[in-house]
Structures are given as C-alpha cells and as structure tokens.
C-alpha cells in the first residue's frame, strides 16, 4: 500500500525546491498565490527571499514576511479615529507594509503605471496554517482573497507567497485545512521535498563555508535528517547547515 503523506492527504503534487523557485518566478504579475507545504528547514522561507533578491536585474525587490504563529490582529491593522471627523473609524496598517507600498508607487511612476513581473515585490505568509488567533487567520484570509488590509488595497503588482508546515504528517492545524473555500485560494498548492542537488547548488551559489560544502559533498545523506526531525530532535537540514556556515565564518573572523 502506498504511504499516506501530507501531500496525498491534500491531493497535491510533490516537487523539488527548484520547481518551487520556478513557480514563484512564473506567477509574478498574476494573482496566483504560490503555496508550498513541506517539512521545516528545507528552504521554503529561503527560496522566496532568493527570488526577491534576483529581481530588478539582480538589485533585488522588497521582501516582507508575515510569520503567522507570532502575529496578532494589531500587526495587520489598528482602528483609529478619522482625522477629519469623529463619526467614523479608520483602520491604520502596520509600518511593516510600508516598503511594499513605497516600492509599487515608485515602480509605477517609472513604468507608465505598470509593475513589470521582474519588479514585483514579495509578501510572504509564513506558516499560514499555524496562526494561533482565529482573528489573525481571518485577517490573512481577507488579504489573500480581497487583497485588502485595513483601509488599504494591496496592488496586484505585489506577489503573495504562502508556506505551511505539516504537523505530524497531517494538516489539521486550523481552519485553512478544514475550509475548502480558503484552500482553493491558495493556487497553485504544492508539496516541497528535500533535494540534495538543489540544496548543494544553492549552498555553492550562496558561498557556504568550505568546511560545510566539503562535509556535505562527502556525506550527502547528512543534508537532511528526516528521522531526527520526525522524532522531535535537533536535526540537520538546509536551514541548519546555513547557520553552521555562518558560525564557521564567525570563528574564521575571530582567528
């Protein structure tokens, strides 16, 4: 019998990190919300950042991340009195969104009111299915569905990317998994698996410490320790190796 995985439960295809990267690039300039589901540490957060850094001729575009488990409703918008009258309320949004709005305004000025796909900034919803507060989940749903936050409309030039981590090989965390209306807005939804070749290419391009590259080159099986991850232990994964690389660089600087 075929193993029942989070991907089969959701009815989605498994892809490599490289395909996830390509989907983000191809979806720029559209309303498609590329959604990646996969184990922690395989690069779901790093890949959208890399895509944003490559855009604009390699100069990069703004990248804003919303880490849903730590978000409160006030991180989206805060009701305030309207400055011209006390008969109405405004919903003022968090300053974290300022880089997106400023960028879109400048890009449109230079491109006759349009945002070229290669200039699209990225708004990432990280661990969307792990928001603790239901009001946060609903605020995120409104943003994804209507592209509205507070009293502001998010321009179509802003690209949405969503990531989710399965829990215990299942997805029963909050209403995003139970509500078909919510899930259908996350299109395309894919499962992302660890791929040694993709990771080594990234590690080489990102100039990981030579000791890390040498170890992973000699021990390919050490790239991702799925058994330790499933057992709830500290485990090796792309994110961990990136941290190890930074530590090695720090020790080099200290002499």
């Amino acid at each position: 019998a075929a193993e029942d995985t989070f991907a089969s439960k959701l009815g989605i295809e498994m892809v490599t990190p490289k395909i996830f990267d390509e989907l983000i690039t191809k979806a720029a300039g559209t309303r498609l919300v590329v959604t990646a589901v996969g184990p922690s540490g395989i690069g779901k957060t790093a890949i959208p950042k890399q895509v944003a850094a490559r855009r604009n001729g390699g100069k990069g575009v703004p990248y804003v991340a919303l880490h849903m488990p730590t978000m409160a409703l006030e991180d989206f918008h805060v009701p305030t009195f309207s400055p011209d009258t006390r008969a109405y309320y405004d919903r003022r949004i968090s300053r974290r969104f300022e880089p997106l709005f400023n960028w879109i305004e400048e890009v449109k000025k230079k491109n006759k009111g349009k945002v070229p796909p290669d200039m699209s900034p990225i708004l990432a919803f990280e661990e969307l299915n792990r928001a603790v507060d239901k009001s946060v989940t609903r605020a995120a749903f409104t943003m994804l569905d209507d592209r509205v936050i507070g009293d502001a409309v998010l321009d179509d030039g802003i690209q949405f990317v969503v990531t989710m981590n399965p829990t215990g090989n299942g997805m029963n965390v909050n209403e995003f998994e139970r509500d078909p209306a919510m899930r259908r807005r996350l299109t395309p939804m894919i499962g992302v698996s660890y791929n040694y070749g993709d990771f080594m290419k990234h590690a080489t391009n990102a100039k990981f410490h030579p000791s890390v590259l040498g170890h992973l080159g000699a021990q390919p099986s050490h790239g991702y320790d799925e058994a330790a991850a499933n057992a709830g232990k500290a485990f090796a994964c792309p994110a961990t190796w990136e941290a190890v690389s930074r530590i090695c660089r720090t020790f080099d600087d200290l002499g």
Side-chain angles (χ1 to χ4, degrees), residues 66 75-77 91-94 96-97 101 123 139 142-143 146-154:
L66 307 178
D75 294 317
F76 287 94
H77 55 74
R91 288 184 176 180
R92 303 299 173 84
I93 64 174
S94 168
R96 74 174 67 206
F97 299 99
F101 286 95
L123 176 61
T142 301
M143 289 182 67
D146 301 326
R147 298 185 72 91
V148 172
I149 176 172
D151 294 328
V153 176
L154 290 161

Side-chain angles (χ1 to χ4, degrees), residues 67-235:
H67 187 58
M68 299 304 293
T70 63
M71 296 283 286
L73 185 59
E74 291 76 14
D75 294 317
F76 287 94
H77 55 74
V78 178
T80 62
F81 280 113
S82 177
D84 55 345
T85 174
R86 298 184 71 84
Y88 299 97
Y89 283 98
D90 286 333
R91 288 184 176 180
R92 303 299 173 84
I93 64 174
S94 168
R95 193 174 291 276
R96 74 174 67 206
F97 299 99
E98 185 178 16
L100 300 174
F101 286 95
N102 290 347
W103 177 263
I104 290 294
E105 184 178 354
E106 290 300 317
V107 170
K108 282 189 168 184
K109 285 180 182 178
K110 298 176 182 178
N111 293 277
K112 299 179 180 179
K114 297 181 179 179
V115 180
D118 187 56
M119 302 287 281
S120 293
I122 293 178
L123 176 61
F125 297 75
E126 297 180 355
E127 298 189 51
L128 180 63
N129 60 317
R130 296 200 177 183
V132 178
D133 190 335
K134 287 187 177 181
S135 65
V136 171
T137 302
R138 295 189 183 106
F141 175 72
T142 301
M143 289 182 67
L144 290 165
D145 191 35
D146 301 326
R147 298 185 72 91
V148 172
I149 176 172
D151 294 328
V153 176
L154 290 161
D155 191 274
D156 284 352
I158 299 173
Q159 183 175 15
F160 292 169
V161 176
V162 170
T163 65
M164 294 194 282
N165 290 352
T167 300
N169 291 327
M171 293 295 295
N172 298 318
V173 182
N174 66 21
E175 56 219 67
F176 265 96
E177 288 70 53
R178 294 196 294 266
D179 190 335
M182 291 184 177
R183 290 200 309 271
R184 70 180 175 82
R185 287 162 173 79
L186 307 179
T187 305
M189 182 182 288
I190 53 173
V192 181
S193 60
Y194 170 74
N195 180 275
Y196 174 75
D198 286 358
F199 173 49
M200 287 302 292
K201 184 179 294 185
H202 161 68
T204 302
N205 292 338
K207 295 181 171 52
F208 276 28
H209 193 276
S211 296
V212 173
L213 292 175
H215 177 78
L216 292 173
Q219 302 288 342
S221 62
H222 289 187
Y224 188 86
D225 191 344
E226 185 175 2
N230 291 337
K233 300 178 180 178
F235 63 100

